Amino acid sequence: MSTQPEHESPAPARPATLHELRTALSRYGLPGDREAFEQALATALDSSPIGDLAAVAEVIATYRHRLTLRTDEHAMASLAAPIGGQQWTPAADAFARARAAGGDR
């Protein structure tokens, strides 16, 4: 019997190839992650001297790390933790947007 709720998909294994990274970014990344990765990868590849792909490796490592954070429940929980005693709630966010739009008059 699985301990994982049925509505959640399991965290992906750490991608070992570019194909796996692209697939994982498409499936588990935030909106736009895959496109931003492709753009950053192309830029790094086009600007790298032949024989020195350190910039390409850095882009790959950065997006692998982002994906790891995105799929790690402990990392996401720490990002959502209150800072300075403030707690985010959907209602607080809605009120903040309404105040910013002038709805507090």
Side-chain angles (χ1 to χ4, degrees):
M1 177 172 226
S2 174
T3 60
Q4 183 111 332
E6 289 186 33
H7 65 280
E8 289 183 23
S9 53
R14 187 168 168 92
T17 66
L18 277 176
H19 174 73
E20 289 174 2
L21 180 58
R22 285 178 168 126
T23 301
L25 283 170
S26 294
R27 184 168 182 185
Y28 299 103
L30 295 174
D33 275 357
R34 170 73 189 269
E35 294 78 12
F37 168 72
E38 295 296 344
Q39 181 63 44
L41 184 64
T43 300
L45 189 57
D46 289 344
S47 64
S48 293
I50 293 176
D52 181 7
L53 299 178
V56 173
E58 186 175 331
V59 168
I60 292 168
T62 297
Y63 279 87
R64 276 180 78 187
H65 182 68
R66 286 183 187 180
L67 186 62
T68 300
L69 288 176
R70 175 75 175 98
T71 58
D72 181 287
E73 64 184 51
H74 300 294
M76 293 307 290
S78 69
L79 290 174
I83 298 173
Q86 296 179 352
Q87 178 90 19
W88 177 86
T89 63
D93 188 46
F95 287 126
R97 283 195 312 266
R99 278 193 302 271
D104 61 338
R105 294 181 222 175

